[in-house]
Amino acid sequence: VVADPLRAGDETRYFPSEVNLLRADVVVINKIDAAPPDAVDALRRSVHEANPRATVVDAASPVEIDDPGALRGKRVLVVEDGPTLTHGQMRHGAGVAAARRFGAAELVDPRPWLRGALVDTFERYPHIGPLLPAMGYGPAQLRDLEQTIAAVDCDLVVVGTPIDLARHLTLTRPSVRVRYSLQCLGRPSLEEVVDRFLTTQEAAP
């Protein structure tokens, strides 16, 4: 199971995250490169208290992008994972991290161009800043998202969602896709843990 130090405390505050933590054989603490050290330490203590038998793997989560140079100097609309921003209470994700790292000139605030249910989303979750949550739980929400993206006055759309929006929406503006990657720090690495497990299973009668 993956535990995020940018949300330290959530691992035992919600269902099913607490159940996942209690059942885990391995806990990957990711985003160590982006989280404050005290948050990482707090999460590590919480994991140990809840599940002291679990193996803990430390990892950074650098962002990867199709064309890093495409962001430099551009006014960008960042589209992030919807649940992460709404009930997940995060203020940004991989898209904003990439925009800042690769030299975007401005994060364009989408609120003047919102369509349909996205207006209600921003009213319900006022902590959301100058980025767009990808709310796409049905045809109507996908249409609102597509129309909003098309209306925003920007140079480039930075897609930081787990799914490839271009496969589900017609994007009329240039876009790049951003993903988190996993970089294990120290030992054991996730590869070592998995190899050890597979070796044990092969040796079992």
Side-chain angles (χ1 to χ4, degrees), residues 74-89:
K74 299 294 180 59
R75 299 171 60 250
V76 302
L77 168 65
V78 176
V79 184
E80 301 277 29
D81 178 53
T84 298
L85 299 178
T86 55
H87 52 272
Q89 301 178 357

Side-chain angles (χ1 to χ4, degrees), residues 123-148:
E123 290 177 352
R124 185 176 180 184
Y125 301 99
H127 70 274
I128 299 175
L131 44 88
L132 187 63
M135 307 300 290
Y137 296 106
Q141 284 190 328
L142 286 172
R143 183 176 60 251
D144 294 340
L145 180 62
E146 183 178 84
Q147 292 178 352
T148 298

Side-chain angles (χ1 to χ4, degrees), residues 44-61:
R44 197 183 305 281
R45 288 193 300 270
S46 177
V47 168
H48 180 72
E49 290 170 4
N51 187 350
R53 66 176 179 79
T55 299
V56 176
V57 174
D58 291 345
S61 302

Side-chain angles (χ1 to χ4, degrees), residues 20-100:
N20 291 338
L21 173 59
L22 293 172
R23 296 183 63 196
D25 295 310
V26 182
V27 178
V28 177
I29 299 180
N30 70 340
K31 299 182 184 176
I32 285 181
D33 53 330
D38 58 341
V40 176
D41 292 341
L43 178 56
R44 197 183 305 281
R45 288 193 300 270
S46 177
V47 168
H48 180 72
E49 290 170 4
N51 187 350
R53 66 176 179 79
T55 299
V56 176
V57 174
D58 291 345
S61 302
V63 292
E64 295 182 347
I65 188 168
D66 300 333
D67 181 7
L71 275 73
R72 185 162 302 280
K74 299 294 180 59
R75 299 171 60 250
V76 302
L77 168 65
V78 176
V79 184
E80 301 277 29
D81 178 53
T84 298
L85 299 178
T86 55
H87 52 272
Q89 301 178 357
M90 291 288 287
R91 294 187 177 274
H92 61 80
V96 169
R100 291 172 175 167

Side-chain angles (χ1 to χ4, degrees), residues 64-66 77-81 94-95 134 149 156-166 171 174-179:
E64 295 182 347
I65 188 168
D66 300 333
L77 168 65
V78 176
V79 184
E80 301 277 29
D81 178 53
I149 294 172
L156 183 73
V157 178
V158 178
V159 179
T161 56
I163 64 168
D164 184 0
L165 282 184
L171 299 180
S175 66
V176 293
R177 190 177 178 203
V178 178
R179 307 169 186 82

Side-chain angles (χ1 to χ4, degrees), residues 96-119:
V96 169
R100 291 172 175 167
R101 178 179 176 184
F102 296 113
E106 178 187 350
L107 299 181
V108 177
D109 192 334
R111 281 172 281 198
W113 294 278
L114 297 177
R115 299 291 191 269
L118 281 167
V119 176

